[in-house]
Amino acid sequence: MNDKIFEACSKILPQGYISQCQGARNSVSNSIGELITKRRLPEHGWSDDLIETLLSELSTMDTNNFHGNVGVGEREGRIYSSLVRRRHFRLSHGIGRSGDITAIQPKAAGSSLLNNITNRLVLDSLRIAGATSCKSCFVVPMATGMALTLCMQTFRNSKPSAKYVIWLRIDQKSCFKSIATAGFESVVIERKLEGDQLVTDLLAIEETIERLGADSILCVMSTTSCFAPRAIDDIEGIAKLCDRYHISHLVNNAYGVQSSKCMHVIQQASRVGRLDAFVQSCDKNYMVPVGGAVIAGFDESLIEAISQTYPGRASAAPSIDMMITLLSFGASDFKNLLKERKEMFQYLLEKVKIVAEKYGERVLSTPSNPISIAVSLTREEMTPSQLTQIGSMLFTRNVSGLRVVTGNEEKTINGHTFTGFGAHYDAYPVSYFTVAAAIGIKRQDIDTFCVRLDKVLSKLYSNKPSCDD
């Protein structure tokens, strides 16, 4: 309602009532106006009503919602199901145009505005999380693996003769498969075992560059967030090598936004060497449904080039989810969630250590992994299949996410055979299980998990009673 309508209302209702309503409406308009002007996270989270008002206003700017609009094109934003229409807040045109995922659509001013604002809100969140000099980012409606592929396809434009991608081993399929999907050959760099921790072998990377020749190498793909006992890669050391040899550096930061340590090494690497782009999952870092990733970097023109590599328009669903969630957070709650996750990591570490030591096991020492924790499984009388029962027994007790790694699995992916798959290493000295303190985990989750873990270990390690026995 605008001022003219309020004026008409004042002829029906007392002016005092109308002034009060007008003030409330102005408050909503001011909040929306400030968001569009600043394009930064509000200090405090918005209510659902305010977010729905914003989405309703944006949807009225798309032609499919114009009163009396007649569409005679092949794609006019028609939605048959009213349930689907409500699910997407009547925003049916998606984002981008045929040649650029961040381009403005003439038919969809509202969706285009939403896309732009969302990307700026995400950029603000990355800076809050620790990448303080990050210049640009965009939400892409693909999970992390395909987003990595999109980056490599863009890198090809500046190095068309390149054949290889140097990949620092992490036993996770999608990032490895993303290289073949982009049309390149993986060169696997194995980890070094230092104590319990698997660390980056910088010397092996440099020897590989010298052996293959820098001109034949598209990029080095490094990783921050990962399952223990693998550590964060030496992102700064790799950045220096990439800068020296003029090779692109792509960072798989899948769930690293929630870790100040992961974000700090990315920020530092951009200062001391070369870091072209870093990719993170929307669902793992921002608690939204699976289906989106964020591609970010410190060179705005490069990130724009990556966005222009995406072929065609794209679904707006991940961007809508991200806008709603970030506005619900606000800067204050987002900072609190990051702080709480760090505290919960320490709490999980302490609680799991108590249970592990009760059964003669130990938490593996992995100080360079700020999210994941690994616990040894060293009972000689237990077979690998018996050890894996820990995960299945906990799953039937409503505990998800725990991974048992025996080191005995062999897996072939895109023609490359990995020995000891799951351990990031051919012959890790012990079997173990991993758990993680991810964003959103609560103290009660950890307490309940440890009680159930104790009961399961008590059954398998039969010479020890559980706490409740």
Side-chain angles (χ1 to χ4, degrees):
M1 297 178 75
N2 56 32
D3 290 342
K4 188 175 181 180
I5 294 174
F6 278 118
E7 184 179 350
C9 290
S10 67
K11 296 176 181 178
I12 303 171
L13 300 174
Q15 181 61 49
Y17 296 166
I18 299 303
S19 296
Q20 187 179 29
C21 296
Q22 198 167 9
R25 176 65 187 185
N26 288 342
S27 176
V28 170
S29 298
N30 289 341
S31 295
I32 293 174
E34 185 175 6
L35 174 69
I36 293 171
T37 301
K38 294 183 176 179
R39 291 181 294 169
R40 297 182 61 182
L41 286 174
E43 182 59 29
H44 301 288
W46 283 14
S47 68
D48 289 351
D49 287 344
L50 181 53
I51 294 171
E52 287 185 20
T53 299
L54 169 65
L55 292 169
S56 178
E57 294 282 355
L58 292 174
S59 71
T60 63
M61 297 170 68
D62 286 1
T63 57
N64 61 294
N65 299 311
F66 287 3
H67 181 69
N69 183 70
V70 177
V72 293
E74 81 288 353
R75 196 201 73 254
E76 294 295 340
R78 300 183 181 99
I79 303 175
Y80 178 80
S81 168
S82 60
L83 185 61
V84 173
R85 190 180 302 113
R86 292 198 304 273
R87 176 176 178 252
H88 292 277
F89 298 92
R90 300 183 298 145
L91 294 159
S92 60
H93 280 286
I95 56 174
R97 300 188 73 180
S98 57
D100 185 351
I101 197 175
T102 59
I104 296 169
Q105 285 192 64
K107 291 181 181 179
S111 294
S112 300
L113 186 57
L114 180 146
N115 190 32
N116 182 283
I117 293 172
T118 299
N119 290 338
R120 291 296 295 267
L121 293 178
V122 175
L123 179 61
D124 196 26
S125 75
L126 293 176
R127 290 170 174 170
I128 288 171
T132 54
S133 60
C134 183
K135 289 290 190 296
S136 182
C137 73
F138 67 97
V139 175
V140 61
M142 306 184 295
T144 307
M146 288 303 295
L148 291 168
T149 295
L150 189 67
C151 292
M152 287 181 279
Q153 289 170 333
T154 306
F155 295 167
R156 177 190 279 117
N157 295 333
S158 59
K159 213 171 191 181
S161 62
K163 180 181 179 182
Y164 304 106
V165 171
I166 293 178
W167 182 76
L168 282 61
R169 180 173 174 179
I170 173 172
D171 288 356
Q172 196 269 344
K173 297 176 190 175
S174 63
C175 57
F176 185 71
K177 291 171 74 173
S178 71
I179 297 169
T181 303
F184 296 96
E185 183 178 329
S186 303
V187 181
V188 180
I189 304 295
E190 296 290 345
R191 316 298 296 169
K192 285 196 308 182
L193 182 62
E194 292 186 356
D196 292 332
Q197 192 164 235
L198 295 166
V199 300
T200 307
D201 191 341
L202 284 177
L203 181 60
I205 297 172
E206 187 162 20
E207 288 174 348
T208 301
I209 293 172
E210 292 285 357
R211 176 171 57 85
L212 297 175
D215 289 342
S216 70
I217 300 167
L218 179 80
C219 69
V220 176
M221 187 190 295
S222 60
T223 301
T224 54
S225 54
C226 53
F227 297 125
R230 191 190 190 279
I232 296 175
D233 278 324
D234 183 355
I235 305 296
E236 294 178 49
I238 296 165
K240 291 176 182 177
L241 282 176
C242 289
D243 188 47
R244 187 186 314 156
Y245 287 96
H246 307 292
I247 297 172
S248 296
H249 182 192
L250 177 60
V251 179
N252 175 9
N253 189 45
Y255 47 100
V257 177
Q258 61 193 281
S259 163
S260 59
K261 188 165 190 172
C262 291
M263 297 303 284
H264 175 74
V265 298
I266 286 172
Q267 174 64 29
Q268 287 301 108
S270 74
R271 289 177 174 168
V272 302
R274 179 166 181 171
L275 196 159
D276 294 76
F278 57 104
V279 176
Q280 35 275 309
S281 163
C282 289
D283 61 281
K284 291 175 181 174
N285 293 289
Y286 295 98
M287 297 185 284
V288 296
V290 171
V294 176
I295 298 175
F298 301 89
D299 180 346
E300 193 168 355
S301 62
L302 174 60
I303 301 306
E304 183 180 1
I306 296 172
S307 75
Q308 291 172 348
T309 302
Y310 187 96
R313 291 172 175 80
S315 169
S319 295
I320 294 171
D321 290 341
M322 287 291 283
M323 171 180 267
I324 291 171
T325 302
L326 288 167
L327 289 176
S328 297
F329 285 160
S332 178
D333 276 3
F334 184 60
K335 292 173 186 176
N336 288 338
L337 282 165
L338 298 179
K339 179 174 178 289
E340 180 185 47
R341 191 217 63 81
K342 188 182 291 189
E343 293 169 351
M344 289 301 100
F345 175 79
Q346 291 300 323
Y347 185 65
L348 177 62
L349 188 64
E350 294 164 7
K351 295 289 286 187
V352 167
K353 183 178 179 181
I354 292 170
V355 178
E357 290 179 348
K358 177 180 176 181
Y359 295 95
E361 303 294 358
R362 66 186 183 88
V363 172
L364 302 180
S365 177
T366 55
S368 295
N369 191 315
I371 299 174
S372 178
I373 296 166
V375 177
S376 69
L377 297 170
T378 57
R379 287 295 176 97
E380 293 182 0
E381 68 273 16
M382 294 184 69
T383 65
S385 62
Q386 288 174 318
L387 290 176
T388 58
Q389 288 180 31
I390 295 172
S392 58
M393 289 172 71
L394 282 166
F395 188 75
T396 60
R397 289 161 174 78
N398 293 327
V399 174
S400 59
L402 180 141
R403 299 170 65 254
V404 174
V405 179
T406 65
N408 290 335
E409 185 176 358
E410 188 175 276
K411 189 172 287 291
T412 300
I413 308 170
N414 291 340
H416 187 96
T417 299
F418 293 92
T419 302
F421 186 79
H424 323 287
Y425 194 70
D426 284 354
Y428 196 77
V430 297
S431 299
Y432 60 87
F433 70 79
T434 67
V435 290
I439 189 167
I441 194 171
K442 302 297 181 184
R443 185 177 291 260
Q444 182 180 349
D445 298 327
I446 295 170
D447 290 339
T448 302
F449 161 67
C450 287
V451 169
R452 294 175 186 174
L453 174 65
D454 179 59
K455 288 183 177 180
V456 166
L457 291 181
S458 178
K459 286 182 180 293
L460 293 175
Y461 291 29
S462 56
N463 60 325
K464 288 280 186 180
S466 71
C467 292
D468 290 351
D469 290 345

